[in-house]
Amino acid sequence: MDSLRLRPSSVRSAPGAAAARRRDHILPSFCSIQRNGERRVSLSIQASKGPTVDRCKKFLDWKYSNHRISHQSINTSANAGQSLQPETEAHDPASIWKPISSSLDAFYRFSRPHTIIGTALSIVSVSLLAVESLSDISPLFLTGLLEAVVAALFMNIYIVGLNQLFDIEIDKVNKPTLPLASGEYSPAMGVAIVSVFAAMSFGLGWVVGSPPLFWALFISFVLGTAYSVNLPYFRWKRFAVVAALCILAVRAVIVQLAFFLHIQTFVFRRPAVFSKPLIFATAFMTFFSVVIALFKDIPDIEGDRIFGIQSFSVRLGQSKVFWTCVGLLEVAYGVAILMGVTSSSLWSKSLTVRHNIS
């Protein structure tokens, strides 16, 4: 109601005269309350008497101030709700965990976990060849094994990371989900990661003080760098035979011999002895490393052909390389079964034959 006018005649003639008289104590007669478009309260005096006008003014002042207080309270509550909302989101566990999870996933893909698993299993298995009795499995042995595995895994991350740094354009075709190819990591970020892990690998090898371990890390560093970097006389991955020899040297020779000598000569302080099981493991891993070198390029044929990487899959075709790998694995496992059958140890015979047949 835009205008409310109270007149003495209308109040006195109303049936509820007693109620009207009670209202007069609050809102005196002869006053008019008007709200215009700007929400201002105006006072219209139709008959002026001193006390009556004062009472009307006091009522309007009280009414207007009460309206302002209630309006400000509503605005304050709304603003408080808006200010609390970002704070609530900032403390949401899901919003905190999401960037951490994304970072871990990116690093997981960058580190190429299948290579880490293979390296760790190879070092553990060849280290066990130096164990002559159950008493050799001691805290000393476990400490030496852990030092070797951690240092080797640091170097492994350097090698696979460096390869990704120089294969960004190729990986956009062959492996677009890798962090550098997808843009999750910048090249500067990749350089920082591989530099830190190379430094940690050499640092750990130096602190341990094992010559076989340090030389294993150094030779792996040299071959891994020469395999990937795009410099004159390097980037050996362009040449199929040289690339296969790099992988064979690291997987079949360095991992088997150097880490065995680390446990045998540095941890156990025994003379270097190349036992029959060690020779067999080295020969088996030679076949297996050739298979790794050939098989890894089968799904990458498209990008390798575009960027001039002359892998065996590009030169011979995927089908021929695949069946060549199958044949090499059959030879390797066949020799393993034969060695198990002719072994003088019953547990070695049963374990080797059962494992290779299954």
Side-chain angles (χ1 to χ4, degrees), residues 216-237:
L217 298 174
F218 179 75
I219 296 173
S220 299
F221 174 85
V222 171
L223 292 179
T225 302
Y227 179 88
S228 298
V229 295
N230 194 9
L231 295 174
Y233 306 107
F234 290 104
R235 197 158 173 79
W236 293 348
K237 67 179 299 177

Side-chain angles (χ1 to χ4, degrees), residues 134-273:
L134 290 177
S135 61
D136 286 340
I137 302 178
S138 61
L140 178 66
F141 168 77
L142 296 176
T143 301
L145 177 61
L146 181 63
E147 291 169 344
V149 170
V150 173
L153 294 187
F154 286 165
M155 184 57 65
N156 189 91
I157 293 174
Y158 162 78
I159 292 172
V160 298
L162 185 71
N163 186 59
Q164 292 175 63
L165 278 171
F166 287 92
D167 280 359
I168 293 177
E169 297 302 321
I170 299 177
D171 287 339
K172 288 180 180 179
V173 179
N174 293 337
K175 305 178 183 75
T177 59
L178 293 179
L180 286 168
S182 65
E184 294 175 78
Y185 283 175
S186 65
M189 182 70 171
V191 170
I193 293 175
V194 299
S195 300
V196 168
F197 275 93
M200 289 194 299
S201 179
F202 280 122
L204 181 56
W206 182 266
V207 170
V208 171
S210 169
L213 175 61
F214 188 85
W215 281 107
L217 298 174
F218 179 75
I219 296 173
S220 299
F221 174 85
V222 171
L223 292 179
T225 302
Y227 179 88
S228 298
V229 295
N230 194 9
L231 295 174
Y233 306 107
F234 290 104
R235 197 158 173 79
W236 293 348
K237 67 179 299 177
R238 294 176 297 173
F239 313 107
V241 175
V242 180
L245 289 175
C246 283
I247 296 174
L248 187 149
V250 174
R251 296 289 178 186
V253 180
I254 295 175
V255 170
Q256 302 303 312
L257 299 182
F259 288 97
F260 172 82
L261 292 175
H262 164 69
I263 299 295
Q264 178 77 3
T265 63
F266 180 76
V267 176
F268 290 151
R269 304 295 179 180
R270 295 169 181 163
V273 177

Side-chain angles (χ1 to χ4, degrees), residues 10-332:
S10 60
V11 172
R12 294 189 183 92
S13 61
R21 282 195 298 270
R22 285 194 300 268
R23 192 165 58 240
D24 287 343
H25 291 287
I26 301 174
L27 182 62
S29 57
F30 306 104
C31 66
S32 172
I33 303 172
Q34 295 180 343
R35 290 185 176 87
N36 56 22
E38 299 179 356
R39 295 185 179 180
R40 290 181 296 187
V41 180
S42 61
L43 178 65
S44 175
I45 305 300
Q46 294 178 352
S48 62
K49 287 187 178 181
T52 305
V53 172
D54 292 339
R55 289 169 60 191
C56 187
K57 285 183 177 180
K58 289 179 181 179
F59 170 78
L60 292 176
D61 290 340
W62 170 81
K63 190 73 174 176
Y64 182 59
S65 62
N66 187 50
H67 172 74
R68 287 171 55 193
I69 292 171
S70 62
H71 184 68
Q72 290 174 356
S73 300
I74 294 172
N75 290 338
T76 304
S77 301
N79 293 333
Q82 292 177 356
S83 63
L84 287 175
Q85 185 175 0
E87 185 178 356
T88 303
E89 293 177 355
H91 290 83
D92 184 12
S95 63
I96 296 174
W97 172 248
K98 187 175 181 180
I100 298 175
S101 177
S102 299
S103 299
L104 292 175
D105 178 67
F107 181 75
Y108 176 83
R109 287 179 278 118
F110 180 81
S111 64
R112 309 294 282 155
H114 65 279
T115 63
I116 290 179
I117 294 171
T119 300
L121 291 177
S122 296
I123 294 173
V124 171
S125 62
V126 76
S127 296
L128 289 173
L129 295 178
V131 174
E132 297 179 356
S133 62
L134 290 177
S135 61
D136 286 340
I137 302 178
S138 61
L140 178 66
F141 168 77
L142 296 176
T143 301
L145 177 61
L146 181 63
E147 291 169 344
V149 170
V150 173
L153 294 187
F154 286 165
M155 184 57 65
N156 189 91
I157 293 174
Y158 162 78
I159 292 172
V160 298
L162 185 71
N163 186 59
Q164 292 175 63
L165 278 171
F166 287 92
D167 280 359
I168 293 177
E169 297 302 321
I170 299 177
D171 287 339
K172 288 180 180 179
V173 179
N174 293 337
K175 305 178 183 75
T177 59
L178 293 179
L180 286 168
S182 65
E184 294 175 78
Y185 283 175
S186 65
M189 182 70 171
V191 170
I193 293 175
V194 299
S195 300
V196 168
F197 275 93
M200 289 194 299
S201 179
F202 280 122
L204 181 56
W206 182 266
V207 170
V208 171
S210 169
L213 175 61
F214 188 85
W215 281 107
L217 298 174
F218 179 75
I219 296 173
S220 299
F221 174 85
V222 171
L223 292 179
T225 302
Y227 179 88
S228 298
V229 295
N230 194 9
L231 295 174
Y233 306 107
F234 290 104
R235 197 158 173 79
W236 293 348
K237 67 179 299 177
R238 294 176 297 173
F239 313 107
V241 175
V242 180
L245 289 175
C246 283
I247 296 174
L248 187 149
V250 174
R251 296 289 178 186
V253 180
I254 295 175
V255 170
Q256 302 303 312
L257 299 182
F259 288 97
F260 172 82
L261 292 175
H262 164 69
I263 299 295
Q264 178 77 3
T265 63
F266 180 76
V267 176
F268 290 151
R269 304 295 179 180
R270 295 169 181 163
V273 177
F274 296 100
S275 60
K276 183 179 177 181
L278 177 63
I279 295 173
F280 165 72
T282 303
F284 181 86
M285 285 305 299
T286 299
F287 279 88
F288 207 83
S289 298
V290 172
V291 172
I292 293 173
L294 298 178
F295 211 92
K296 74 179 188 63
D297 292 327
I298 292 177
D300 297 341
I301 187 171
E302 184 178 353
D304 288 349
R305 183 183 289 118
I306 293 173
F307 291 94
I309 305 297
Q310 295 299 311
S311 65
F312 282 108
S313 295
V314 173
R315 295 169 60 181
L316 303 177
Q318 292 172 306
S319 179
K320 287 184 179 180
V321 172
F322 175 82
W323 289 110
T324 300
C325 292
V326 172
L328 289 173
L329 287 176
E330 289 177 344
V331 171

